[in-house]
Amino acid sequence: MAASLRQVVAGSWRQPQRYLLALQCATHHTRWCLITSRTFYTAEYDPNEKVTFEKLLIANRGEIASDDKTCKKRAIKTVALCTDLSAGAVHVKMADEAVCVGPAPTSKSYLNMDAIMEAIKKTRAQAVHPGYGFLSENKEFARRLASEGVTFIGPDTHAIQAMGDKIESKLLAKNAKVNTIPGFDGVVKDADEAVRIAREIGYPVMIKASAGGGGKGMRIAWNDEETREGFRFSSQEAASSFGDDRLLIEKFIDNPRHIEIQVLADKHDNALWLNERECSIQRRNQKVVEEAPSTFLDPETRRAMGEQAVALAKAVKYSSAGTVEFLVDTKKSFYFLEMNTRLQVEHPITECITGLDLVQEMIRVAKGYPLRHKQADIPINGWAVECRVYAEDPYKSFGLPSIGRLSQYQEPLHVPNVRVDSGIQEGSDISIYYDPMISKLITYGSDRAEALQRMEEALDNYVIRGVTHNIALLREVIIHPRFVQGDVSTKFLPDVYPDGFKGHKLTDLEKRELLAIATSLYMAEQLRSQQFLGSPRISLAKLDLNNWELSIQLGDGTYPVTVSNNGSTFSVEVDGMKLNVTSEWNLASPLLSVTIDGTQRTIQCLSRDAAGNISIQFLGTVYKLRILTKLAAELSKYMPEKAVEDTTSILRSPMPGVVVAVSVKPADLVSEGQEVCVIEAMKMQNSMIAAKTGKATSKNLRGSWQHAGNPSCNL
Amino acid sequence: MSRPRACVLLLSVMAALRLLPRLLPVSRTRLVRSHSAGAPVSVPARIAEKRRAALLGGGQARIDSQHKRGKLTARERILLLLDPDSFVEYDMFVEHRCADFGMESDQNKYPGDSVVTGQGRINGRLAYVFSQVFFCFVSVTCCELTQGYNFIWQLNWSLSGAHAQKICKIMDQAVMVGAPVIGLNDSGGARIQEGVESLAGYADIFLRNVLCSGVVPQISLIMGPCAGGAVYSPALTDFTFMVKDTSYLFITGPDVVKSVTNEDVTQEQLGGAKTHTAVSGVAHRAFENDIDALLNLREFFNYLPLSNRDPAPVRKCHDPSNRLVPELDTVVPMESTKAYDMVDIVHSIVDEREFFEIMPSYARNMIVGFARMNGRTVGILGNQPKVASGCLDINSSVKGARFVRFCDAFNIPLITFVDVPGFLPGTAQEYGGIIRHGAKLLFAFAEATVPKITIITRKAYGGAYDVMSSKHLRGDVNYAWPTAEVAVMGAKGAVQIIFRGKETDAEAEYVNKFANPFPAAVRGFVDDIIEPSTTRIRICRDLEVLASKMQSNPWKKHANIPL
């Protein structure tokens, strides 16, 4: 592996001038982050504290690795890790140095301890911040670091080991008088044993990897069959993600909330709880929307949970930042789920409401400084909401990964009290090898309504082009009446969208607004296309701009509209109602702020073509419309219908990924619902099911790489 | 050479040609007209009657049958193409002059004959248009007469002498005032009843197509069958667009093909939009249906200058010319063997990501098309690393060459993005005449006097480097990105040849020496090595500077491009 090590520094770079360029970008980007990202911190740096570390290696990728602004502030030099694929990534540019640890697959790079240890030696980093995921909770890694005399920024090996093992952690929790989930059992050897254990506990049960957190490799089984299937998938995923295929089966609490307590402990037996985070909005057991504090907890429950969390931390002599996850049922009874011995993805919302900089505190604690705060000093100031913006298609089971190049990317940093932690930039590639998270979008307000209002605005102002993203889903969730009332559970998404997410449902007024905006946009473009500069050969007869008759198709409906123009305002008559739409009509801007009869809306025009097709992102959801003149619309009824391909006989990959298993051979008889192959993408294994009964005629080979929509098998 | 003098010469030739029909001894039209007796009708009533008949273009039944085919009528097409109320029709009262095979009877005569001609505006700018009326003048007699002859001609003949005369008239005027000619073709070969007069009609149009070439842009939109001799008019024009599933172009139809070569082929396979846009390269682009095609044609028209005397149009632009494009700093992959999409680069650089690609499905290893930079129309060429590594082959050379010549003829600046590993080797290419065809692209770039800006994004190897609008071919501004490698060939091949496999470290040395932009930059073959993100800014600035560029080639009757 060492042979694949390449140090990506100026001297050995293939094109030196390209590297210089990268550095320039980096300085620019860093400054921007410093200014924009941490506007709501109260934490101050004690000038009397000596420099903690001189050089820190960040053993991670993406936004956490870019989140080293704390280090920048404290003048700690940073070393980033990259792979052959991610060498141009933001976190690499922001860091002072970068070391390549191997090819793109994580098992050969970010999980490759030998390569990382080599990198540490090479760069002489004094400490390692593991971020989250990858090796952040790997005791072996922590042990190896300790033996090299390198500080691991996190708890010591003992705590990682104790909490990293789900079974041991529950025993510890029990002993520390922390409420635990009933029906808890041991390590699973094979599918039969899994079934036996599941029956003992009683369905439903949850199956997941012992070593994993974050919902990866976690499946719920309601019967024996599902238990076997869950066992198979979870063990495979556990092996590929964590290199450890041990599993855990436990009682599944139906309709729970997922609320976690942030703890912070030092090496001097001090521990604090920094309030809770409500992380109930999840899909496939991965968090989507988080907020702090929770609407559900009363001060007593909060204190009870906090005290138990601190008790647990003290029981394992925990130091550094950590998270104790609880399931909370409808009666506010809470059960210990697990403890994450690392920084969480959603840590910024805790930082927002408490004013603490957790990364800074972790570094301080690692260096041995005692905590500066008392429990009574920990406030809840205002409200913070975090949305995880993913490169995935929310219309397919609330989010299947999509890949591509970010051809345009603009974070909504002009919206006040918005923080965006991202590890990507315009031009970045979203590949199949890593988690498809684009960014964490955090908004803060003096109360929940304000934070949510800002989030709405931020989502509308977020420009992401080139990959499919889940903004539509996020925006729907945060404006949903149940969410607004705080009535959530981990089953929120399937409960609210039993038939899958279908995008925003327009009210009559919203539909009229959309039609009016689209009409105005179309007219603005029509008018612009007649504006030639410096050409004397333009007709002097000006176009009559009153009462243009157009016809708009939206979904199954066709709507006649009449439009007149007066300067930057278009008066659009839709369904007998007149709407005045005003904007700058800047056709090059990805964001368009329009005012419709006094209501301000931010829309994004994603595409428009000469044939009148226009895609508009309105209220988070993308709508496809077609605008034609009245004449063209009347004539379009004569246009031939084009035949559409019958897709039921072709099995298409719903997302890009690698075929890891094929269950049928050509000429096999396949029945409807039968698994044909398994595609792995973004660390998830997805079973591909035949849509109808038939004979398999062709298939692509195992191990091959599939684009979304590629036919994998013909029936 | 003075361009005005050439124009005057051309105009006088055209004028003489237009007079020709009038000098012909036969004036059958008038004879026929005077015989169509009956009760005397007042002239205003007759005018109204003729106009009505002309607007119906052959009657409601014909209109309905056209609609049933999924096509629009000639007049509906014109209405969609031109600005509202801008169409001015000519020759509505012209009728065909054929007196044989029953064609002289009144029921076979329609005012305006089988084509609607005139001028109008597209987004306020002048255009001349002819739109053919799909007609079947089928009578039993002629079917018998033409048995065993060309089936397609039998079905769709419609080009009469009068028809051709009408088209010629607007073409002459278009050249005179300097405005593009747009043909909406929906007809089949010659009108057999008219015999040689019909053939003469073709030739009259062909000649004008040739004389107009390079004077005003000529665009053909094929919206129905176009077979036999008729196909050569679109072939002579600058751009040929087609409508998917309803338009065909072929010299001889499937029946003749079957009878001559015993080959079974459908109309669609033989000359459909897919065939001509992807296989033969006859058509430049295809659209879903009549409406899509006409609306796209309006968009396309906005890119073109009205004539060779007009500069490239500058449309109002909202996209700032000083926009940085950070995306470009990472677009070229680290591994020089890895592909990327050149269209991504084009989209991110041009105004509002609008790129009207020409021949998007043909010779896809080369991309060509129109876009705007700070509002001004530019012609974009680029090697496409995603397809066949972006190498130059016969088809891509011809595709590029024709596009370069169009832009040069009509004052449209050229922007060339280079990532070319060389010419495609192999017997197929050599036997096909890659030397001759590759020379076309070289010729076109060398000859062009419009502003030429070149950006080398990655590879510029060997002869292909020279060809792709290099400094040596009078490139005005040539840039290299830091990822550029200007060399005779790739490191591996070069080392194998130089050292015959004896040196192992030589490859690294070669890479260090040549696989970068410095060898070209130190010699001044590239003007600057630029940060990719600044490319848009640089091009916009350069175009402003080069707007007043004056360059001419030595006097010649015409150059002799290796056809």
Side-chain angles (χ1 to χ4, degrees):
Chain A
M1 215 59 255
S4 74
L5 268 173
R6 275 198 288 136
Q7 192 160 9
V8 188
V9 288
S12 65
W13 195 248
R14 189 167 60 97
Q15 279 101 18
Q17 63 282 9
R18 191 179 191 189
Y19 184 73
L20 291 176
L21 198 74
L23 275 184
Q24 278 186 5
C25 290
T27 47
H28 174 75
H29 194 86
T30 311
R31 199 184 324 125
W32 165 81
C33 275
L34 282 172
I35 293 166
T36 54
S37 287
R38 301 228 162 184
T39 47
F40 24 86
Y41 282 125
T42 54
E44 277 171 17
Y45 299 96
D46 185 352
N48 298 325
E49 264 175 31
K50 275 199 201 146
V51 170
T52 42
F53 299 101
E54 274 162 23
K55 201 186 249 183
L56 185 73
L57 183 136
I58 300 164
N60 215 297
R61 57 173 292 280
E63 54 76 32
I64 180 62
S66 309
D67 191 20
D68 59 359
K69 355 189 199 301
T70 303
C71 301
K72 298 274 174 197
K73 272 199 267 188
R74 310 210 77 191
I76 302 171
K77 284 198 177 126
T78 56
V79 181
L81 295 185
C82 63
T83 63
D84 296 346
L85 197 76
S86 65
V90 175
H91 72 273
V92 177
K93 290 179 179 178
M94 284 181 63
D96 299 305
E97 278 175 57
V99 181
C100 187
V101 287
T106 50
S107 57
K108 290 178 186 156
S109 52
Y110 294 107
L111 288 173
N112 180 351
M113 265 186 253
D114 292 335
I116 294 172
M117 293 310 294
E118 189 76 17
I120 293 165
K121 269 184 217 157
K122 217 170 206 171
T123 56
R124 295 196 194 85
Q126 297 159 324
V128 170
H129 195 299
Y132 27 74
F134 298 129
L135 298 174
S136 62
E137 291 171 287
N138 189 306
K139 55 178 192 284
E140 170 67 11
F141 183 54
R143 192 191 57 72
R144 280 183 68 171
L145 286 176
S147 70
E148 296 282 337
V150 177
T151 312
F152 177 80
I153 299 188
D156 56 22
T157 322
H158 163 71
I160 296 177
Q161 177 161 11
M163 289 299 128
D165 190 309
K166 300 288 171 310
I167 297 148
E168 197 187 333
S169 72
K170 290 219 167 143
L171 285 172
L172 270 163
K174 251 182 204 161
N175 296 339
K177 304 219 161 29
V178 177
N179 307 351
T180 50
I181 297 177
F184 169 68
D185 213 311
V187 180
V188 187
K189 286 182 191 69
D190 56 28
D192 287 336
E193 197 189 340
V195 170
R196 189 181 56 74
I197 294 166
R199 283 188 184 157
E200 252 170 45
I201 299 168
Y203 288 109
V205 295
M206 185 170 66
I207 305 170
K208 66 181 289 181
S210 290
K216 276 186 176 168
M218 181 145 106
R219 270 159 213 274
I220 291 147
W222 296 80
N223 53 43
D224 292 357
E225 185 128 331
E226 285 173 8
T227 307
R228 284 175 200 280
E229 195 189 356
F231 171 79
R232 186 156 59 90
F233 278 111
S234 299
S235 54
Q236 274 176 29
E237 272 180 16
S240 75
S241 280
F242 307 104
D244 177 351
D245 46 319
R246 290 181 308 149
L247 289 183
L248 172 75
I249 304 177
E250 65 184 21
K251 176 84 177 170
F252 173 63
I253 297 174
D254 206 9
N255 227 13
R257 283 168 183 262
H258 180 124
I259 298 176
E260 58 192 29
I261 300 283
Q262 175 74 52
V263 293
L264 183 63
D266 62 15
K267 293 180 175 167
H268 308 278
D269 211 23
N270 300 310
L272 301 170
W273 47 274
L274 307 181
N275 300 314
E276 78 282 7
R277 291 187 290 258
E278 163 77 74
C279 310
S280 296
I281 308 291
Q282 306 185 342
R283 52 113 182 79
R284 299 193 305 270
N285 292 311
Q286 277 186 288
K287 296 161 191 166
V288 181
V289 179
E290 298 110 337
E291 61 182 315
S294 164
T295 53
F296 191 59
L297 295 193
D298 47 52
E300 292 87 75
T301 320
R302 177 174 297 127
R303 191 179 328 110
M305 288 170 77
E307 280 166 1
Q308 286 197 9
V310 164
L312 180 61
K314 286 189 171 166
V316 287
K317 297 205 171 14
Y318 195 85
S319 67
S320 191
T323 300
V324 183
E325 295 188 346
F326 291 97
L327 283 184
V328 183
D329 70 14
T330 44
K331 297 179 189 71
K332 289 188 185 153
S333 311
F334 54 90
Y335 304 100
F336 170 72
L337 200 58
E338 62 182 20
M339 180 169 187
N340 294 318
T341 56
R342 54 168 160 87
L343 203 59
Q344 297 272 95
V345 174
E346 58 274 23
H347 76 272
I349 53 175
T350 296
E351 296 184 333
C352 285
I353 61 161
T354 59
L356 268 73
D357 182 336
L358 287 174
V359 177
Q360 184 202 359
E361 297 302 329
M362 282 175 85
I363 296 172
R364 286 186 71 253
V365 167
K367 193 68 183 173
Y369 292 111
L371 293 177
R372 293 174 298 182
H373 302 82
K374 298 268 168 293
Q375 187 61 49
D377 302 339
I378 306 300
I380 298 183
N381 286 328
W383 213 284
V385 183
E386 174 181 288
C387 282
R388 294 195 191 184
V389 181
Y390 281 106
E392 57 183 24
D393 183 353
Y395 298 94
K396 294 178 189 162
S397 35
F398 303 114
L400 284 188
S402 71
I403 58 159
R405 247 178 81 75
L406 283 170
S407 56
Q408 267 178 300
Y409 182 74
Q410 211 173 294
E411 293 174 348
L413 295 167
H414 54 283
V415 180
N417 280 355
V418 168
R419 167 176 166 179
V420 185
D421 286 6
S422 69
I424 46 121
Q425 61 178 2
E426 194 167 297
S428 289
D429 262 316
I430 308 281
S431 80
I432 60 162
Y433 298 107
Y434 312 115
D435 196 61
M437 192 160 84
I438 295 175
S439 77
K440 304 185 295 197
L441 177 62
I442 301 118
T443 61
Y444 175 74
S446 57
D447 56 21
R448 189 164 183 260
E450 191 186 331
L452 288 178
Q453 173 58 38
R454 292 231 166 93
M455 182 57 80
E456 227 178 283
E457 222 177 305
L459 288 169
D460 281 341
N461 282 280
Y462 206 146
V463 179
I464 304 166
R465 305 282 164 82
V467 293
T468 314
H469 53 75
N470 67 338
I471 288 209
L473 176 68
L474 296 172
R475 200 183 185 286
E476 277 309 287
V477 168
I478 61 151
I479 62 163
H480 194 278
R482 268 189 61 181
F483 180 83
V484 172
Q485 285 160 24
D487 174 17
V488 295
S489 77
T490 52
K491 291 172 79 184
F492 179 84
L493 289 178
D495 279 355
V496 170
Y497 308 104
D499 305 320
F501 180 63
K502 303 269 190 265
H504 181 72
K505 196 161 173 356
L506 293 170
T507 63
D508 275 353
L509 179 66
E510 285 167 350
K511 189 194 277 171
R512 267 186 228 120
E513 285 182 3
L514 173 62
L515 293 174
I517 292 169
T519 307
S520 308
L521 199 59
Y522 173 84
M523 284 303 291
E525 203 193 359
Q526 290 294 311
L527 291 178
R528 204 264 306 254
S529 62
Q530 312 193 339
Q531 292 176 314
F532 290 91
L533 307 179
S535 171
R537 299 191 61 197
I538 302 290
S539 176
L540 292 174
K542 282 285 164 254
L543 212 62
D544 180 15
L545 294 174
N546 286 313
N547 299 319
W548 270 58
E549 289 183 88
L550 301 172
S551 169
I552 311 187
Q553 266 172 279
L554 169 64
D556 297 330
T558 305
Y559 307 86
V561 295
T562 315
V563 55
S564 301
N565 170 247
N566 182 12
S568 61
T569 302
F570 291 93
S571 298
V572 188
E573 203 178 313
V574 195
D575 285 348
M577 226 174 111
K578 202 158 209 165
L579 295 158
N580 289 310
V581 189
T582 309
S583 170
E584 278 180 39
W585 304 117
N586 181 334
L587 296 170
S589 163
L591 288 172
L592 205 59
S593 171
V594 294
T595 312
I596 315 147
D597 287 334
T599 314
Q600 195 275 333
R601 302 270 191 210
T602 302
I603 63 133
Q604 301 187 25
C605 178
L606 304 184
S607 72
R608 47 172 205 271
D609 69 14
N613 297 304
I614 183 166
S615 301
I616 293 178
Q617 185 180 321
F618 176 66
L619 302 172
T621 296
V622 177
Y623 295 94
K624 289 190 166 67
L625 303 101
R626 184 166 197 205
I627 307 180
L628 292 171
T629 59
K630 200 179 166 198
L631 174 74
E634 275 166 14
L635 293 175
S636 65
K637 65 171 179 275
Y638 301 122
M639 294 299 103
E641 294 267 331
K642 306 273 163 161
V644 193
E645 184 187 12
D646 174 24
T647 50
T648 54
S649 63
I650 304 166
L651 195 63
R652 286 174 192 282
S653 172
M655 60 187 155
V658 178
V659 179
V660 290
V662 181
S663 329
V664 296
K665 294 190 292 293
D668 274 2
L669 207 59
V670 180
S671 58
E672 188 181 324
Q674 187 182 333
E675 178 188 287
V676 177
C677 62
V678 177
I679 289 194
E680 183 178 289
M682 315 270 187
K683 300 271 146 255
M684 280 293 294
Q685 296 201 339
N686 299 273
S687 177
M688 303 279 298
I689 308 290
K692 69 176 187 189
T693 304
K695 210 174 241 183
T697 52
S698 70
K699 68 171 185 342
N700 286 316
L701 286 174
R702 184 193 163 106
S704 68
W705 199 88
Q706 298 292 313
H707 274 287
N710 258 16
S712 322
C713 180
N714 294 322
L715 295 178
Chain B
M1 228 291 277
S2 66
R3 194 180 270 164
R5 198 178 353 136
C7 287
V8 168
L9 204 72
L10 180 65
L11 285 176
S12 52
V13 171
M14 298 286 236
L17 281 168
R18 204 170 58 218
L19 283 175
L20 265 176
R22 295 193 199 161
L23 302 174
L24 290 171
V26 190
S27 55
R28 227 175 247 151
T29 346
R30 262 168 239 150
L31 282 176
V32 170
R33 212 177 268 164
S34 60
H35 280 281
S36 61
V41 187
S42 72
V43 172
R46 275 171 64 193
I47 295 174
E49 169 62 21
K50 289 281 183 195
R51 271 199 202 283
R52 199 192 55 77
L55 290 175
L56 264 180
Q60 190 59 45
R62 287 218 163 85
I63 294 175
D64 290 344
S65 92
Q66 183 79 345
H67 285 163
K68 215 169 274 166
R69 286 191 186 91
K71 304 198 294 185
L72 300 179
T73 67
R75 280 175 198 283
E76 286 165 348
R77 286 167 177 166
I78 288 184
L79 283 178
L80 280 181
L81 175 65
L82 300 178
D83 294 347
D85 303 325
S86 73
F87 182 52
V88 178
E89 184 168 351
Y90 297 155
D91 293 338
M92 195 189 247
F93 297 103
V94 165
E95 291 171 355
H96 69 77
R97 303 181 288 265
C98 180
D100 303 316
F101 309 116
M103 290 296 283
E104 72 277 20
S105 83
D106 270 0
Q107 68 182 38
N108 272 339
K109 270 185 189 298
Y110 301 94
D113 202 29
S114 49
V115 64
V116 182
T117 61
Q119 42 92 348
R121 302 273 168 173
I122 295 176
N123 288 314
R125 302 195 314 145
L126 184 63
Y128 283 82
V129 187
F130 68 85
S131 179
Q132 292 174 325
V133 181
F134 181 79
F135 259 12
C136 293
F137 278 117
V138 182
S139 64
V140 182
T141 349
C142 26
C143 278
E144 280 165 6
L145 272 172
T146 55
Q147 247 170 15
Y149 192 48
N150 190 331
F151 180 73
I152 282 300
W153 283 33
Q154 196 188 99
L155 266 181
N156 305 320
W157 55 72
S158 84
L159 196 135
S160 68
H163 179 132
Q165 188 194 330
K166 284 180 72 173
I167 294 175
C168 291
K169 188 194 260 183
I170 62 152
M171 290 177 81
D172 292 345
Q173 215 181 81
V175 168
M176 195 163 64
V177 302
V181 180
I182 299 173
L184 308 179
N185 300 61
D186 189 354
S187 93
R191 191 174 296 167
I192 290 167
Q193 295 95 327
E194 288 199 9
V196 73
E197 190 176 342
S198 174
L199 294 181
Y202 275 139
D204 289 343
I205 297 174
F206 296 160
L207 175 63
R208 279 165 181 80
N209 282 139
V210 173
L211 295 179
C212 288
S213 185
V215 181
V216 294
Q218 301 179 79
I219 307 159
S220 303
L221 176 54
I222 317 298
M223 309 187 81
C226 186
V231 297
Y232 282 109
S233 178
L236 290 168
T237 60
D238 298 305
F239 295 100
T240 303
F241 299 119
M242 292 181 81
V243 179
K244 286 180 193 166
D245 304 324
T246 47
S247 72
Y248 310 102
L249 273 168
F250 34 66
I251 299 285
T252 47
D255 296 280
V256 179
V257 170
K258 174 78 182 161
S259 67
V260 176
T261 67
N262 210 23
E263 190 181 359
D264 274 315
V265 67
T266 63
Q267 284 197 62
E268 183 64 36
Q269 290 166 340
L270 187 62
K274 209 171 178 181
T275 303
H276 286 312
T277 52
V279 182
S280 73
V282 165
H284 294 85
R285 209 164 142 172
F287 302 103
E288 282 308 314
N289 55 44
D290 279 16
I291 293 177
D292 271 22
L294 291 162
L295 293 175
N296 272 290
L297 190 50
R298 279 178 67 85
E299 166 124 329
F300 175 66
F301 187 82
N302 257 9
Y303 286 101
L304 307 181
L306 295 180
S307 75
N308 61 358
R309 282 167 286 168
D310 294 275
V314 182
R315 198 196 61 184
K316 192 178 170 191
C317 169
H318 292 157
D319 204 350
S321 63
N322 61 354
R323 171 169 60 88
L324 273 172
V325 193
E327 185 199 348
L328 295 180
D329 287 335
T330 53
V331 72
V332 178
M334 309 272 210
E335 304 88 333
S336 65
T337 48
K338 213 174 147 192
Y340 59 95
D341 193 347
M342 192 61 94
V343 178
D344 282 349
I345 294 182
V346 174
H347 277 149
S348 61
I349 287 179
V350 302
D351 289 359
E352 296 176 28
R353 311 182 71 83
E354 286 180 347
F355 177 50
F356 194 98
E357 200 174 344
I358 299 292
M359 299 178 116
S361 338
Y362 180 77
R364 295 188 300 119
N365 41 347
M366 165 85 87
I367 55 168
V368 304
F370 296 101
R372 296 186 181 87
M373 294 298 283
N374 205 13
R376 181 185 277 106
T377 298
V378 291
I380 305 251
L381 284 96
N383 307 110
Q384 172 59 286
K386 240 176 73 175
V387 181
S389 307
C391 70
L392 288 178
D393 58 6
I394 293 173
N395 291 347
S396 61
S397 300
V398 175
K399 172 181 174 179
R402 181 146 173 84
F403 182 76
V404 169
R405 297 197 95 210
F406 175 84
C407 292
D408 186 41
F410 291 100
N411 316 313
I412 297 171
L414 288 165
I415 298 171
T416 310
F417 293 93
V418 183
D419 185 350
V420 63
F423 282 97
L424 182 65
T427 50
Q429 290 291 311
E430 295 291 357
Y431 294 175
I434 179 72
I435 298 175
R436 186 160 54 90
H437 297 290
K440 291 176 183 174
L441 184 60
L442 173 60
F443 196 107
F445 269 124
E447 177 193 43
T449 55
V450 288
K452 290 186 281 192
I453 299 171
T454 308
I455 295 98
I456 300 172
T457 61
R458 190 167 62 181
K459 291 172 212 159
Y461 288 165
Y465 152 72
D466 283 339
V467 170
M468 291 302 292
S469 195
S470 63
K471 198 79 193 162
H472 324 287
L473 303 182
R474 299 193 293 185
D476 295 305
V477 185
N478 294 54
Y479 291 126
W481 282 3
T483 40
E485 305 168 16
V486 185
V488 174
M489 58 173 68
K492 210 172 166 191
V495 170
Q496 268 173 8
I497 292 172
I498 301 171
F499 301 103
R500 307 231 169 264
K502 280 178 224 147
E503 287 275 336
T504 43
D505 294 338
E507 195 170 320
E509 192 191 336
Y510 187 92
V511 166
N512 196 31
K513 266 195 179 145
F514 298 116
N516 57 61
F518 292 117
V522 295
R523 289 166 178 81
F525 299 160
V526 295
D527 297 294
D528 199 356
I529 302 168
I530 61 170
E531 289 176 27
S533 55
T534 63
T535 308
R536 175 174 164 83
I537 306 175
R538 301 293 287 254
I539 295 176
C540 285
R541 279 188 202 160
D542 293 329
L543 285 172
E544 268 171 28
V545 170
L546 291 168
S548 56
K549 174 185 176 186
M550 298 285 271
Q551 189 172 47
S552 58
N553 296 329
W555 186 92
K556 55 187 94 174
K557 186 175 173 192
H558 63 71
N560 187 15
I561 189 164
L563 291 176

